[in-house]
Amino acid sequence: MFAMLDVRTIREHPDLVKHAVEVKGIDLDVDALVALEAEVRRLRHEVDNAMGERKRRSKEFGRADEATRERLRAEQAEFDVRLSATKDEHAVRAAELQDLMLQVPGIPWDQAPVGAGEAENVVIKKVGTPPTFDFEPLDHVTLLEERGWAEFARARNVSGERAYALRGDAVLLERAVLSYALDLLVTRSFTPISVPSLVREAALVGTGMFPKGREETYELPADDLFLAGTGEVALVGLHAGEILDKAQLPLLYAGISPCFRREIGSAGRDVRGLVRVHQFEKVEQFVVCEADDAESEKWHQALLDCAEQLLLDLDLAYEVVECSTGDMGLGKFRMNDINTWFPSLESFRETHSCSTLHDWQARRASLRYRDTDGTIKHAHTLNNTAAATPRLLVALIENHQNADRTVTVPPVLRPYLQGREVL
RNA sequence: GGAGGCGUCGCCUAGUCCGGUCUAUGGCGCCCGCCUGCUAAGCGGGUUGAGGGCUACAACCCUCUCGCGAGUUCAAAUCUCGCCGCCUCCGCCA
């Protein structure tokens, strides 16, 4: 049974949910949900009692003689008609409830800026300065093409819009960034893990991607599978349905996987180059920790810090944004985007997104743990990008380009490129 | 793609052929208590999960839960079908 909030919480504190619905701009009738929940509970109770009755009758049948059995069979047939009618109604109403429950938002952080969307996000930190060039800098598409580092036209002939093929040093640089990100996380005790991109629907519902993000997701109907837009889907899915021991927490994963997004909602936007593509590589930070506000806050900061460290190491200017309630999405408690400077866009663009989901996602995926006192609780989950390429690659080559069309390699990446200082 | 085997309450396991006191057996582990200079052993009890009644998140009671779902039946761990997963072999293949 999926549930984003405990039904009890919704039942007993509908105002909390209503408030979340309002600030997140969600179309959901909480009163109707509460009423439906009561109805489902009533029907369930009715079914439970009838099942008990049926059980007793069945036992009586076993002890009865043949004449009595005939009578009991007849009675039971009549009884079953009513029981199955109630059962059917319960099933229908429970399914309706389920649909609504999947739309119940997580309660956002009380200090998150309230607003309808991205416009209300607040920049809370700026680090580094965008580079100034004493020559006319190129945008990444021109630079990549001049250096023979990418195929766009040819790739699009093969695979359609937003397709690309990296070539030569661009491939090596991409590999270097991803390797560096993975290694950075490993030094911080994250377990590197490669996860499937091909996932079942249940995994997408469990993460919270579905039902809302359905049209954003590639579907493979012949196999009842989907292409995940992020490694988070499989990372949550790995432990879905489990009851972990508290001693196993926190789980720290550095997940690596190809990611696929249809970009239906942004058709026509960023169609040039590598900023927004359908297929990309990502190293993802993912944490499962105990259900404690201070603990998940701690990990939120840790995930943010890893991403910031990476950008510092890559010598890129960035800003950290406190995302508004309308921008953060259905399940999130808190979201901080990190926007990195893109010279050709003359602006900061999202390269990382750090989210705390509290137990919202864990409830959906039924990811629980046994606490030291023996009680079973839903864990908290968090995630953040570590490095997503090729978008991050764009920032790297645009920011570090030189007048002679070479690109300076940040020192931390040189060990992954045979020590080369420029490409 | 083909053939076969298997999935029981943390782990292992009895039960499945011949449906009903299975409110699922036993062991290990774990928890509580007793005993005991300490520890171990021994003894007694507890130990799947979900929802509900009641409501103090205690006790007690009810329903569901033997991979998941549906079917047959008065009655399903047990019979039938579908799905999921694991194992073995054959074929094909990075």
Side-chain angles (χ1 to χ4, degrees), chain A residues 118-384:
Chain A
E118 210 176 324
E120 285 79 13
N121 292 355
V122 177
V123 175
I124 56 172
K125 187 179 186 182
K126 274 185 182 285
V127 176
T129 24
T132 51
F133 299 97
D134 51 13
F135 59 93
E136 190 58 40
L138 300 181
D139 84 330
H140 73 281
V141 176
T142 311
L143 183 54
L144 287 164
E145 285 181 334
E146 270 195 27
R147 294 297 309 273
W149 283 347
E151 294 280 8
F152 288 105
R154 291 186 178 112
R156 286 170 188 197
N157 275 337
V158 177
S159 307
E161 46 100 49
R162 297 191 192 281
Y164 63 97
L166 297 179
R167 261 179 58 166
D169 285 343
V171 175
L172 303 182
L173 184 62
E174 178 182 50
R175 192 181 60 175
V177 174
L178 295 171
S179 294
Y180 180 67
L182 197 63
D183 287 352
L184 175 68
L185 292 177
V186 169
T187 64
R188 298 197 177 194
S189 302
F190 284 71
T191 302
I193 182 166
S194 71
V195 294
S197 301
L198 231 38
V199 296
R200 290 218 176 93
E201 182 172 5
L204 288 153
V205 176
T207 336
M209 303 295 164
F210 277 18
K212 198 177 163 238
R214 191 160 200 123
E215 66 170 18
E216 183 55 35
T217 307
Y218 287 104
E219 182 172 3
L220 303 168
D223 300 285
D224 276 328
L225 290 169
F226 298 81
L227 293 173
T230 166
E232 181 191 344
V233 177
L235 287 164
V236 173
L238 283 179
H239 295 288
E242 287 190 37
I243 299 176
L244 301 163
D245 197 273
K246 190 181 173 186
Q248 295 174 257
L249 302 179
L251 296 176
L252 309 178
Y253 284 127
I256 182 162
S257 70
C259 304
F260 301 87
R261 298 184 183 181
R262 295 182 71 210
E263 298 296 345
I264 285 296
S266 36
R269 282 181 66 193
D270 307 314
V271 287
R272 180 177 159 81
L274 299 174
V275 171
R276 189 185 296 273
V277 293
H278 289 308
Q279 176 177 347
F280 59 99
E281 298 294 320
K282 186 148 72 114
V283 177
E284 178 86 349
Q285 312 179 57
F286 181 71
V287 173
V288 178
C289 72
E290 63 180 287
D292 177 82
D293 289 1
E295 184 74 4
S296 58
E297 163 67 15
K298 184 184 94 185
W299 285 109
H300 186 90
Q301 293 307 327
L303 295 190
L304 214 44
D305 189 67
C306 283
E308 289 194 52
Q309 185 63 55
L310 182 103
L311 292 173
L312 285 171
D313 290 346
L314 297 181
D315 196 22
L316 296 171
Y318 65 89
E319 59 181 27
V320 181
V321 164
E322 190 68 56
C323 293
S324 74
T325 51
D327 193 36
M328 67 169 61
L330 190 62
K332 296 179 182 182
F333 171 75
R334 186 181 180 188
M335 178 164 109
N336 290 111
D337 282 353
I338 298 180
N339 300 331
T340 300
W341 181 255
F342 283 68
S344 68
L345 303 172
E346 297 183 319
S347 63
F348 292 92
R349 284 299 289 270
E350 181 184 329
T351 52
H352 297 75
S353 188
C354 185
S355 300
T356 292
L357 289 107
H358 272 183
D359 62 0
W360 187 89
Q361 191 169 56
R363 279 185 191 283
R364 286 202 166 216
S366 193
L367 203 174
R368 295 168 294 171
Y369 68 97
R370 199 179 303 276
D371 209 341
T372 33
D373 64 1
T375 58
I376 289 168
K377 292 174 177 163
H378 291 276
H380 279 194
T381 57
L382 304 94
N383 63 79
N384 188 9

Side-chain angles (χ1 to χ4, degrees), chain A residues 11 15 18 60 76 79 82 104 115 117 123 128 164 192 338 346 358 365 394 410:
Chain A
R11 194 192 305 158
D15 294 348
K18 284 181 189 174
E60 189 185 343
Q76 189 60 31
F79 184 82
R82 289 198 305 277
V104 173
V123 175
Y164 63 97
I338 298 180
E346 297 183 319
H358 272 183
V394 172

Side-chain angles (χ1 to χ4, degrees), chain A residues 371-411:
Chain A
D371 209 341
T372 33
D373 64 1
T375 58
I376 289 168
K377 292 174 177 163
H378 291 276
H380 279 194
T381 57
L382 304 94
N383 63 79
N384 188 9
T385 320
T389 61
R391 187 180 280 191
L392 191 58
L393 216 52
V394 172
L396 265 177
I397 66 173
E398 287 192 357
N399 279 283
H400 298 320
Q401 63 180 302
N402 302 308
D404 64 356
R405 307 312 187 208
T406 59
V407 171
T408 300
V409 179

